[in-house]
Amino acid sequence: MSLRALPLLLAATLGCASVPIAPPEVRPPPAPPPMPRVALVLGGGAARGFAHIGVIRVLEQEKIPIDLVVGSSVGSLIGALYAQKRDVFDLEWTAFALTRDDLIDTGVMNAFLGMGLAKGERLEKFVESKLKVKTIEALQVPFAAVATDLNWGTRVVIDHGSVSKAVHASSAIPGLFEPVAHLGKILVDGGLVDNIPISVARERGADLVVAVDISEQVGNANITNLVDVLLQSANIMFAVNAERSKQGADVLITPDVGGVAMLDFTQKKRSMQAGMDAARAAVPRIRAAIADWQAKRAVPGS
């Protein structure tokens, strides 16, 4: 190489060295897939409702979201207690301490002079004592209770106002509890018209509905008194209308609580375990329903 060409080569080399090297392109991580709004719908069935707690425990353990709770009858009681702060352990402690006398205030005079064996005031006070907030609007999870208009036989959805009054009205089994004056209506148990109120969850924007049916196996060969007659009559009504409504669930959970009487508070542990077992069996179906919903949203135009 000639001395004359050396400066030109050196300049070219320095010029190339001064050109900045572009950093590798850094792409942001893909956005997580959208999650559906999941509603938990809890059906009626009196003492069988302890199974609802087992279901909720598994859903929490599996980190399956609960964005809305809708309950009828005992489903409204369990649902409201959970909706307060999403704490299933607190709910379990409350349930284990719960007795029949905490909820039912039967009296001879009320049976003769009233419109039910129990006034229901004890049930209402129990709910008030367990909730730090008093209104449905203040609950951590959106909540609705379903009751029945005794005069007109129509469904009444209670999603505002007093939590304890809503639960009382939704749980007022005719004959056992006096009807409840609320919202300008005379209300009784929601299970009469909609024991698994899936349509209510849909109306409130649920994308997926996980429903819990505890009305199965209505047979009862041990009916010996008026209370047994009233409860078995309600049980039959609950089961009949549940058969119609439960078809609308994306995932239906049916704990094995057959044989648990409507007011048998001695079967709490068994009922909770039945709820846990049924929920665990349903988890793959719930995850599949969520994945299917997400896959459909990933397709343009869906």
Side-chain angles (χ1 to χ4, degrees):
M1 178 183 295
S2 67
L3 292 176
R4 185 177 297 175
L6 186 60
L8 296 176
L9 179 61
L10 182 60
T13 303
L14 292 174
C16 291
S18 64
V19 176
I21 299 174
E25 182 180 359
V26 178
R27 295 184 179 182
M35 287 295 292
R37 188 167 191 246
V38 179
L40 179 64
V41 176
L42 304 176
R48 296 175 176 184
F50 290 107
H52 291 322
I53 300 170
V55 171
I56 293 171
R57 179 200 272 195
V58 171
L59 296 182
E60 275 206 353
Q61 289 174 343
E62 296 293 330
K63 293 181 170 51
I64 292 171
I66 300 175
D67 304 303
L68 168 68
V69 177
V70 180
S72 187
S73 197
V74 71
S76 73
L77 171 61
I78 302 300
L81 293 174
Y82 178 71
Q84 175 182 211
K85 55 180 179 178
R86 298 181 189 267
D87 188 341
V88 72
F89 293 108
D90 185 59
L91 179 58
E92 288 178 8
W93 278 111
T94 298
F96 275 118
L98 182 63
T99 69
R100 172 174 165 166
D101 290 340
D102 287 322
L103 304 180
I104 302 174
D105 46 359
T106 55
V108 175
M109 292 303 294
N110 204 67
F112 281 104
L113 302 177
M115 290 190 287
L117 297 178
K119 291 182 178 181
E121 293 175 351
R122 195 171 294 174
L123 167 61
E124 200 166 317
K125 288 179 180 178
F126 172 82
V127 176
E128 289 178 351
S129 71
K130 298 302 177 183
L131 295 180
K132 293 182 179 179
V133 300
K134 303 306 178 186
T135 65
I136 293 174
E137 295 90 333
L139 295 173
Q140 191 175 111
V141 183
F143 169 78
V146 173
T148 300
D149 186 321
L150 182 62
N151 292 116
W152 306 108
T154 54
R155 184 189 73 183
V156 177
V157 179
I158 309 174
D159 57 5
H160 62 280
S162 168
V163 183
S164 60
K165 188 69 76 174
V167 171
H168 182 187
S170 181
S171 306
I173 298 173
L176 179 61
F177 288 104
E178 284 197 355
V180 179
H182 187 48
L183 302 177
K185 305 176 188 296
I186 303 299
L187 303 177
V188 292
D189 198 299
L192 270 67
V193 292
D194 201 351
N195 198 44
I196 309 178
I198 293 165
S199 59
V200 175
R202 299 286 188 200
E203 291 162 7
R204 274 149 182 73
D207 298 308
L208 292 179
V209 174
V210 176
V212 186
D213 178 14
I214 55 173
S215 64
E216 295 284 349
Q217 298 174 308
V218 299
N220 183 0
N222 188 29
I223 299 174
T224 60
N225 54 53
L226 175 59
V227 172
D228 290 342
V229 171
L230 293 173
L231 290 174
Q232 181 63 0
S233 299
N235 199 21
I236 293 169
M237 285 187 288
F238 292 173
V240 169
N241 77 57
E243 200 63 37
R244 181 176 63 250
S245 62
K246 67 186 181 183
Q247 306 302 324
D250 294 287
V251 178
L252 183 68
I253 300 175
T254 54
D256 182 9
V257 288
V260 178
M262 296 277 278
L263 290 184
D264 188 355
F265 284 74
T266 68
Q267 301 290 320
K268 298 174 190 175
K269 188 173 181 180
R270 174 195 161 186
S271 296
M272 287 184 195
Q273 187 62 52
M276 292 171 62
D277 294 342
R280 285 198 185 99
V283 165
R285 289 184 284 132
I286 298 172
R287 294 201 187 285
I290 292 173
D292 182 60
W293 184 90
Q294 290 174 326
K296 289 178 180 177
R297 295 309 176 279
V299 176
S302 62

